Amino acid sequence: MDSPARPQIEAWLRYFDDLGLGPFYLDRAAVELPSIAPAQAAAAQAGARSRLPRIAAGAPSPVPPRVQDAVLPVVPSLFDAMPRVEGDSLARIREDIGDCKRCRLCEARNTIVFGDGDEQAQLVFVGEGPGHDEDVQGLPFVGRAGKLLTQMIEAMGLRREDVYICNIVKCRPPGNRQPERDEVATCSPFLDRQLAAIRPRVIVCLGNVAAQTLLGTNKSISQFRGQWFDFRGSKMLATYHPAFLLRTPSAKSEVWTDLKKVMAELGLKPPKPKPRSA
Ligand code: SF4
């Protein structure tokens, strides 16, 4: 559509999507999602390595519902059929991406935004795709939404460099539009490999696209936000995207509720407030 109204229409569509009211064209017959690799759980736990404190032995831990147990009409996740690469590492994955031209998102990008943070992180945040600032700097979540994400991480008692941050697609969709399904399908294997290489204890999906992609559901995030799922041995929870919080500050309390669940899972306590100077 070539119309002066296009940017406004796109902004509204993104707003509704953040609210979980879209994307409308994705709705289709629901099927049951197959089990998500329970055998990975033991390996993930045994291999987890991080500066983050562990949950003490015997301490209560939230038991996530398995995806197929949740009341979610879902479609098979893109990740279910993906084979594992033995001995994989983030460096090797980045090398394999190369100067990627596997999908049309390569045409308008400046930089491939691979991901950033601790390769041994116990906590990974997955967003949708790079925006303008990310495309320029080559780093995820560095714009206004990124600053808010950094504040959220610090409110959890962590530093940004303690976690790993990445996106579903590595190249900026033109005009910050939502990535198309075929673009997500083409780029997702790299995210799958990143998550398998890091083996985090917790994955937090930021926004509808990340949550729908990892869970393989067409349902809106508002229907399962804050619930625990099992994703290939990691616990996974979806919450609202920081960009949505910039537009809808009233939703911050819901996101903080979700992040407190993550903190409990990781045995984190919020940092003590700094004493006021006299
Ligand atoms: S979005 Fe992913 S698959 Fe598409 S060009 Fe960029 S790196 Fe390649």
Side-chain angles (χ1 to χ4, degrees):
M1 178 202 296
D2 289 322
S3 161
R6 177 175 178 150
Q8 188 67 40
I9 293 169
E10 288 180 345
W12 275 107
L13 286 173
R14 289 184 67 80
Y15 178 72
F16 287 129
D17 186 54
D18 287 338
L19 283 173
L21 299 177
F24 313 107
Y25 61 87
L26 283 179
D27 276 342
R28 54 181 171 172
V31 297
E32 189 176 10
L33 182 71
S35 171
I36 295 180
Q40 297 294 326
Q45 293 297 326
R49 325 129 297 227
S50 170
R51 290 189 293 276
L52 291 170
R54 298 228 154 260
I55 296 176
S61 175
V63 178
R66 296 191 56 75
V67 171
Q68 69 270 28
D69 295 333
V71 188
L72 271 182
V74 290
V75 297
S77 166
L78 285 171
F79 296 90
D80 288 333
M82 291 180 186
R84 289 302 164 94
V85 180
E86 287 302 319
D88 216 357
S89 68
L90 295 183
R92 184 171 161 190
I93 300 163
R94 181 63 189 89
E95 195 177 321
D96 288 347
I97 290 178
D99 184 27
C100 186
K101 293 183 170 48
R102 294 173 178 87
C103 83
R104 72 181 79 83
L105 292 182
C106 70
E107 293 165 10
R109 72 154 188 251
N110 283 310
T111 321
I112 291 173
V113 182
F114 177 66
D116 186 39
D118 184 356
E119 183 154 11
Q120 299 186 338
Q122 290 200 23
L123 175 58
V124 171
F125 289 92
V126 180
E128 175 181 318
H132 172 267
D133 294 314
E134 291 76 17
D135 182 53
V136 170
Q137 297 186 41
L139 291 168
F141 283 91
V142 290
R144 283 181 66 223
K147 288 194 175 74
L148 180 54
L149 176 62
T150 301
Q151 289 171 4
M152 290 156 54
I153 292 167
E154 290 171 353
M156 298 172 74
L158 294 169
R159 300 166 304 168
R160 189 178 155 113
E161 53 266 36
D162 292 330
V163 306
Y164 193 81
I165 305 171
C166 52
N167 285 304
I168 295 287
V169 295
K170 313 298 184 204
C171 301
R172 181 195 183 200
N176 286 350
R177 67 162 167 79
Q178 186 171 298
E180 302 284 353
R181 184 163 277 267
D182 62 319
E183 296 159 353
V184 169
T186 305
C187 204
S188 290
F190 298 120
L191 173 64
D192 180 62
R193 287 176 59 187
Q194 285 173 294
L195 295 175
I198 296 169
R199 293 187 297 171
R201 281 178 60 187
V202 174
I203 299 167
V204 174
C205 294
L206 298 168
N208 230 13
V209 171
Q212 289 178 332
T213 302
L214 266 70
L215 282 175
T217 180
N218 294 329
K219 290 295 161 189
S220 64
I221 189 172
S222 58
Q223 295 182 42
F224 55 88
R225 195 213 95 244
Q227 295 178 28
W228 284 114
F229 297 99
D230 176 8
F231 182 82
R232 291 190 159 190
S234 298
K235 287 186 173 181
M236 203 208 82
L237 173 149
T239 194
Y240 293 130
H241 195 287
F244 174 67
L245 298 182
L246 292 174
R247 297 191 293 271
T248 317
S250 59
K252 284 182 180 175
S253 61
E254 292 169 87
V255 172
W256 182 235
T257 299
D258 298 339
L259 294 182
K260 283 195 286 188
K261 291 183 184 176
V262 175
M263 291 165 63
E265 174 61 29
L266 295 174
L268 295 170
K269 290 189 168 54
K272 290 183 180 152
K274 291 177 186 163
R276 289 184 184 172
S277 53

